[in-house]
Amino acid sequence: MLALAFPIAILLLWAGPIQWWMRYQSWSHLSKDKLLESAKWYIANRAPGNNACIFAVECNGGRASLKLVKSIEEWDLEKSKRIAWDRKFKGVCQGQTANFALEVATDNLQSRKTFEGSRRAVWSFYNDRFIPSRTRFGFAAFSESETEPCLTAYAVTARSRLNDNP
């Protein structure tokens, strides 16, 4: 009986506190550089030849929505992280909207050739990176409300912007 209890205890420990700790680590160590690095990795592996914009959650009238980050330098990441935390643990700003997301620039001709499921991605605290919002295994919400379109001028992965960001 003890031989069966030990593996079950290990499984419960892994599924509970360890998983939460890993997600907390992802949230607490999230930085602009990490988001930019993940965005570049995502584009290189999921949508080569494209550029992408980052979106962050904001609260409008008690509901979550995504706002296009037009200037990575002026963006208050800590405010966005606080909203994400409060959504999870205080039940505020509800909605089927990602906390951080990425979208392929719509004004790039290459984007029309990109698989529809790879055009949008959401930040996964579980995976500690952007993942496609649509996969063969499921769907992750991008935003309940309409978002401003991603244009190359705001893309964080555009060559001209890469030199501005470490």
Side-chain angles (χ1 to χ4, degrees):
M1 185 68 136
L2 185 59
L4 182 62
F6 185 68
I8 291 173
I10 296 294
L11 179 66
L12 290 175
L13 182 63
W14 175 252
I18 293 175
Q19 287 295 323
W20 279 102
W21 178 252
M22 291 169 57
R23 290 180 187 158
Y24 172 75
Q25 288 292 90
S26 175
W27 176 84
S28 66
H29 291 104
L30 189 61
S31 66
K32 291 179 184 180
D33 288 340
K34 188 168 191 164
L35 286 167
L36 290 170
E37 182 181 311
S38 181
K40 288 185 263 184
W41 180 91
Y42 184 88
I43 289 300
N45 289 282
R46 296 282 185 162
N50 285 288
N51 292 307
C53 300
I54 291 179
F55 291 80
V57 68
E58 67 176 8
C59 245
N60 288 324
R63 297 296 290 178
S65 62
L66 287 178
K67 182 177 181 179
L68 175 64
V69 175
K70 292 184 177 179
S71 171
I72 200 85
E73 297 82 18
E74 295 174 16
W75 172 40
D76 186 357
L77 173 64
E78 292 306 313
K79 178 181 177 186
S80 298
K81 285 174 61 174
R82 277 191 306 277
I83 293 170
W85 182 268
D86 291 347
R87 288 182 72 202
K88 178 72 176 172
F89 296 106
K90 294 182 181 177
V92 299
C93 199
Q94 294 300 299
Q96 295 297 316
T97 298
N99 291 309
F100 302 99
L102 174 140
E103 184 177 42
V104 170
T106 57
D107 61 342
N108 181 347
L109 294 177
Q110 183 70 21
S111 72
R112 294 187 183 107
K113 299 175 187 174
T114 303
F115 173 64
E116 187 62 32
S118 295
R119 295 178 61 71
R120 287 182 164 176
V122 296
W123 183 261
S124 168
F125 289 106
Y126 180 79
N127 294 308
D128 204 28
R129 65 182 171 98
F130 285 110
I131 60 169
S133 61
R134 281 194 218 168
T135 67
R136 61 184 153 161
F137 302 113
F139 174 76
F142 184 77
S143 182
E144 285 181 351
S145 58
E146 287 292 317
T147 59
E148 203 171 332
C150 171
L151 303 173
T152 304
Y154 305 124
V156 296
T157 58
R159 286 223 185 272
S160 62
R161 306 269 321 247
L162 289 178
N163 296 331
D164 298 338
N165 300 310

